[in-house]
Amino acid sequence: MRPLTDDETKVFFEKLTKYIGRNIIHLIDRPDEPYCFRLQKDRVYYVSESIMRKTTAIGRQNLISLGVCFGKFTKTGKFRMHITALPSLAQYAKYKVWVKPNGEMPFLYGNHVVKAHIGRVTEDMPEHQGVVIFNMADVPLGFGVSARSTVDMRKVDPTGIAVFHQSDNGEYLREEDALF
């Protein structure tokens, strides 16, 4: 477990900024206790500093996981967010999309969100910006990237893609066989 290098921090924060904007400061400087991001086997973990200090007694090979996994670095150096980061993303999301009940299952099966399934959208959402997808009861379902801005979304036909799928809660079930 080690701190992120400058290059890794830059790539990670650029990706995180797409979803939560300047709210990154709220993740690190929390009122209860300070938290930090640490790297273990190409995965970035969000962990409290007090727990991180306690894990120094555990060997690197024996440490499997610590805190909340936000994602992993690919072999090409890009960062890919994991669904385990959804609670933190949902709490501080800059742009949100609410899907109707008939659009929940297609999204949870890994499909993009089409305009016909959208219930509400935050105003002034730009194109290709990270969004968190909620159902109409404000339960976070996943996250993606906006295919169109809010203004363009109103003009597109009902079958047009509004949000590109990135990750959803259904991944836990779809990836279950890969874990064992």
Side-chain angles (χ1 to χ4, degrees):
M1 174 104 14
R2 66 170 176 81
L4 278 72
T5 64
D6 290 339
D7 291 337
E8 291 168 342
T9 303
K10 182 179 180 233
V11 170
F12 173 63
F13 279 176
E14 282 175 359
K15 184 68 130 182
L16 201 54
T17 302
K18 286 182 88 172
Y19 292 96
I20 63 175
R22 295 180 183 264
N23 291 333
I24 293 175
I25 194 78
H26 297 300
L27 286 175
I28 298 168
D29 295 333
R30 291 176 49 157
D32 51 350
E33 66 176 300
Y35 274 63
C36 60
F37 293 102
R38 291 289 184 242
L39 189 77
Q40 171 75 7
K41 298 180 183 173
D42 293 329
R43 297 190 190 287
V44 176
Y45 292 95
Y46 178 61
V47 62
S48 70
E49 288 185 3
S50 62
I51 292 175
M52 184 205 47
R53 283 190 216 102
K54 292 175 185 176
T55 60
T56 56
I58 301 171
R60 194 176 278 192
Q61 290 80 18
N62 296 335
L63 186 64
I64 297 171
S65 174
L66 178 69
V68 177
C69 181
F70 261 57
K72 67 179 267 185
F73 282 99
T74 62
K75 292 182 180 178
T76 59
K78 295 179 182 174
F79 186 76
R80 186 175 186 320
M81 298 286 284
H82 283 184
I83 190 62
T84 51
L86 182 62
S88 300
L89 292 179
Q91 185 177 5
Y92 299 112
K94 197 172 178 184
Y95 302 108
K96 301 176 182 180
V97 172
W98 289 265
V99 294
K100 296 176 184 173
N102 63 343
E104 289 181 32
M105 289 311 289
F107 179 73
L108 291 174
Y109 283 130
N111 297 320
H112 302 305
V113 178
V114 295
K115 186 192 174 213
H117 293 157
I118 291 181
R120 293 187 333 216
V121 178
T122 52
E123 290 299 316
D124 301 328
M125 181 176 63
E127 188 175 5
H128 303 299
Q129 188 67 33
V131 297
V132 177
I133 289 92
F134 292 87
N135 66 4
M136 294 307 278
D138 279 336
V139 176
L141 300 175
F143 52 88
V145 176
S146 61
R148 293 167 172 49
S149 66
T150 306
V151 177
D152 294 341
M153 211 176 287
R154 292 186 180 114
K155 299 174 188 171
V156 73
D157 63 322
T159 59
I161 295 174
V163 178
F164 295 119
H165 177 273
Q166 293 278 314
S167 187
D168 62 79
N169 283 335
E171 268 187 44
Y172 286 119
L173 299 175
R174 288 194 306 271
E175 301 295 326
E176 183 180 31
D177 59 339
L179 297 175
F180 300 106

